[in-house]
């Protein structure tokens, strides 16, 4: 149940009349812990073979969200995506030293996913540790209750951040309606200063029959910020929505 792939790569860079030959070496590892859980690790990864992002002219006031193309961050990420804005793997990009993740689900329906990554010091950013954890208990009819936490710790007197969320989707016995609830709290630590923000969501969805509807309300206060390891276009919003649908089967 153990496989690993060491690698070495050499590049040629020609710039302003000077030629350099940077090189990298490292290893990827996969280990089946048991029939339910798998460990994946990457040490000093080299993503030089990953397709580059297309150039985009951004005239909006919002950051562009790019697609994740790196294989390590695309495999076994179903559980991490349940947190919505809480986790955006493209944040883990600046000189990634190593990353490890354990993912799986027990026979009783408890899904567990843990990811830890360390990025090296650069001219713009200090050495940092990122951690993501989610516990997801599934029930019949596709219902679930989840707990998720994301954390960023930077070396030195730099900002640290933590976001915690609890979210659920409960369906009735007839599987005709789903009830959604979320609450999230962000914390930013700057020395002795702590900034706390909150966000939440409530929704009712009719999921069967010819006539279906969605009713939902989303609230984010002006201090909620998940962007240190997640992706949030903007905060300080209250969004109320309604969708009506007629479906011919």
């Amino acid at each position: 149940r153990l496989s690993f792939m060491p690698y070495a790569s050499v590049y040629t860079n020609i710039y302003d009349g000077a030629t350099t030959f940077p090189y990298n070496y490292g290893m990827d590892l996969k280990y089946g812990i048991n029939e339910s859980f798998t460990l994946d690790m990457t040490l000093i990864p080299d993503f030089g073979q990953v397709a580059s992002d297309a150039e985009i002219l951004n005239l909006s006031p919002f950051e562009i969200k790019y697609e994740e193309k790196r294989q390590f961050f695309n495999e076994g990420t179903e559980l991490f995506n349940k947190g919505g804005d809480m986790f955006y793997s493209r944040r883990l990009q600046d000189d990634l030293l190593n990353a490890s993740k354990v993912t799986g689900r027990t026979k009783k329906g408890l899904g567990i996913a843990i990811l830890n990554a360390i990025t090296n010091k650069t001219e713009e950013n200090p050495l940092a540790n990122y951690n993501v954890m989610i516990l997801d208990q599934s029930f019949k009819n596709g219902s679930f209750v989840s707990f998720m936490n994301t954390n960023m710790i930077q070396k030195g007197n730099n900002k640290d951040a933590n976001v915690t969320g609890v979210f659920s989707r409960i369906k009735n016995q007839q599987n005709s309606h789903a009830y959604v609830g979320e609450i999230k709290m962000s914390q930013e630590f700057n020395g002795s200063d702590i900034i706390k923000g909150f966000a939440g969501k409530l929704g009712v969805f009719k999921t069967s029959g010819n006539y279906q509807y969605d009713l939902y309300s989303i609230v984010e206060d002006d201090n909620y910020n998940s962007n240190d390891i997640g992706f949030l276009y903007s905060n300080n919003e209250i969004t109320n929505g309604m969708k009506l649908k007629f479906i011919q089967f």
Side-chain angles (χ1 to χ4, degrees):
R1 298 203 297 260
L2 172 66
S3 64
F4 61 93
M5 182 179 69
Y7 83 89
S9 60
V10 179
Y11 296 84
T12 301
N13 289 338
I14 302 174
Y15 178 74
D16 197 22
T19 302
T20 59
F21 300 93
Y23 61 90
N24 294 313
Y25 55 89
M27 182 175 66
D28 293 338
L29 179 147
K30 183 182 290 287
Y31 176 61
I33 300 173
N34 54 33
E35 60 183 6
S36 300
F37 293 94
T38 301
L39 167 68
D40 291 278
M41 300 181 67
T42 181
L43 175 64
I44 317 178
D46 180 3
F47 300 118
Q49 296 80 20
V50 177
S52 300
D53 296 312
E55 290 188 8
I56 298 176
L57 177 62
N58 182 18
L59 300 178
S60 76
F62 304 110
E63 177 186 5
I64 295 176
K65 187 175 185 179
Y66 289 98
E67 176 187 1
E68 179 58 82
K69 300 177 182 179
R70 297 170 294 178
Q71 182 178 355
F72 178 85
F73 293 105
N74 275 330
E75 290 184 344
T77 56
E78 175 193 359
L79 288 171
F80 295 115
N81 293 333
K82 287 204 170 189
D85 64 83
M86 289 182 61
F87 179 56
Y88 177 45
S89 58
R90 291 293 296 263
R91 297 289 184 219
L92 311 178
Q93 204 158 4
D94 293 333
D95 281 342
L96 188 64
L97 291 177
N98 63 72
S100 305
K101 64 181 178 182
V102 176
T103 56
R105 189 176 293 274
T106 67
K107 293 181 179 179
K108 294 184 178 181
L110 177 62
I112 301 174
I114 301 172
L115 184 147
N116 195 85
I118 299 175
T119 57
N120 202 3
K121 179 182 179 181
T122 64
E123 292 183 2
E124 297 82 16
N125 300 305
L127 182 75
N129 186 88
Y130 297 86
N131 183 267
V132 183
M133 180 193 71
I134 182 168
L135 304 175
D136 174 74
Q137 180 63 57
S138 61
F139 303 99
K140 63 180 181 179
N141 293 344
S143 300
F144 65 85
V145 176
S146 304
F147 169 84
M148 187 171 184
N149 188 82
T150 63
N151 183 269
M152 178 193 73
I153 299 176
Q154 300 187 94
K155 186 177 181 181
N157 298 321
N158 296 281
K159 185 183 80 168
D160 300 329
N162 190 84
V163 182
T164 303
V166 177
F167 28 92
S168 65
R169 182 181 180 93
I170 305 298
K171 291 187 175 181
N172 60 0
Q173 291 185 352
Q174 295 77 23
N175 207 23
S176 62
H177 289 77
Y179 307 93
V180 172
E182 296 181 2
I183 185 168
K184 302 174 183 177
M185 180 182 69
S186 66
Q187 297 173 286
E188 298 176 80
F189 304 92
N190 286 289
S192 59
D193 296 330
I194 302 177
I195 301 175
K196 294 183 179 181
F198 295 89
K201 178 180 179 179
L202 289 175
V204 179
F205 306 91
K206 186 176 185 294
T207 57
S208 67
N210 297 99
Y211 295 94
Q212 300 183 19
Y213 61 80
D214 300 347
L215 296 173
Y216 58 90
S217 180
I218 303 172
V219 178
E220 298 155 355
D221 71 12
D222 59 347
N223 286 329
Y224 179 71
N225 180 19
S226 60
N227 277 324
D228 291 294
I229 192 170
F231 189 97
L232 181 68
Y233 280 108
S234 60
N235 56 12
N236 196 25
E237 293 183 346
I238 299 176
T239 304
N240 298 302
M242 177 179 67
K243 296 180 182 179
L244 300 176
K245 295 175 284 187
F246 173 77
I247 300 176
Q248 181 64 52
F249 294 98

